[in-house]
Amino acid sequence: MISASRVLVDSNVLLDVLQEDARWYEWSARQLSECAEQAGLVINPVIYAEVSIGFDTIESLEDALPPEQLRREPLPWEAAFLAGKCFLRYRRSGGTRRSPLPDFFIGAHAAVAGMPLLTRDASRYRSYFPKLALIAPDTT
């Protein structure tokens, strides 16, 4: 049961459903449905950008991610700051990427806004956002 009014939905869950992923479709579709029954589903510009790669037009992307079902929220400035700090920890611990990964922005947004994050890839979120409430395969 979700105790929040909104849930941030990671792009991997949306892509599982949109692409009918053989391994993850069933879990992701069920979790999306259950979360939607209990809370508002939210995406941000980073999630929107990650999902957009599979679409040729913005119209087809909008059809796939209807705003009535997936509320769009901007990335808070505080989340950008937190994402930068988490990225710095990542680099200092041996991470090789030169710019902040999308997961840092997504995790920071959920953490700053007090939203649980629906994701199937919880490891990085657990490492860098240990207090973040996750809805993930190992928590359901």
Side-chain angles (χ1 to χ4, degrees):
M1 174 159 263
I2 299 168
S3 62
S5 61
R6 302 172 301 157
V7 172
L8 190 64
V9 181
D10 199 356
S11 52
N12 57 42
V13 172
L14 295 170
L15 289 168
D16 289 345
V17 173
L18 294 170
Q19 297 173 348
E20 297 183 14
D21 182 88
R23 179 172 180 200
W24 290 106
Y25 174 82
E26 190 174 308
W27 183 88
S28 293
R30 184 176 64 251
Q31 294 307 312
L32 272 173
S33 177
E34 289 176 11
C35 287
E37 288 176 12
Q38 301 174 38
L41 302 178
V42 176
I43 60 173
N44 65 29
V46 175
I47 296 163
Y48 190 90
E50 286 188 316
V51 174
S52 76
I53 294 169
F55 293 85
D56 293 329
T57 66
I58 195 167
E59 292 81 9
S60 60
L61 177 60
E62 286 291 309
D63 287 344
L65 303 176
E68 315 76 64
Q69 295 174 10
L70 294 158
R71 183 171 144 190
R72 281 106 163 102
E73 289 191 7
L75 189 68
W77 291 102
E78 296 85 356
F81 180 83
L82 179 57
K85 293 303 175 193
C86 290
F87 178 73
L88 183 60
R89 282 186 30 226
Y90 161 81
R91 291 282 294 156
R92 287 182 176 161
S93 67
T96 58
R97 300 272 177 117
R98 298 258 175 224
S99 61
L101 301 169
D103 289 350
F104 290 119
F105 289 105
I106 294 167
H109 184 180
V112 165
M115 287 186 277
L117 176 63
L118 172 58
T119 184
R120 66 166 164 75
D121 184 21
S123 61
R124 182 172 290 131
Y125 297 115
R126 283 205 178 94
S127 296
Y128 294 96
F129 305 96
K131 295 181 182 177
L132 179 60
L134 296 175
I135 303 165
D138 60 354
T139 64
T140 58

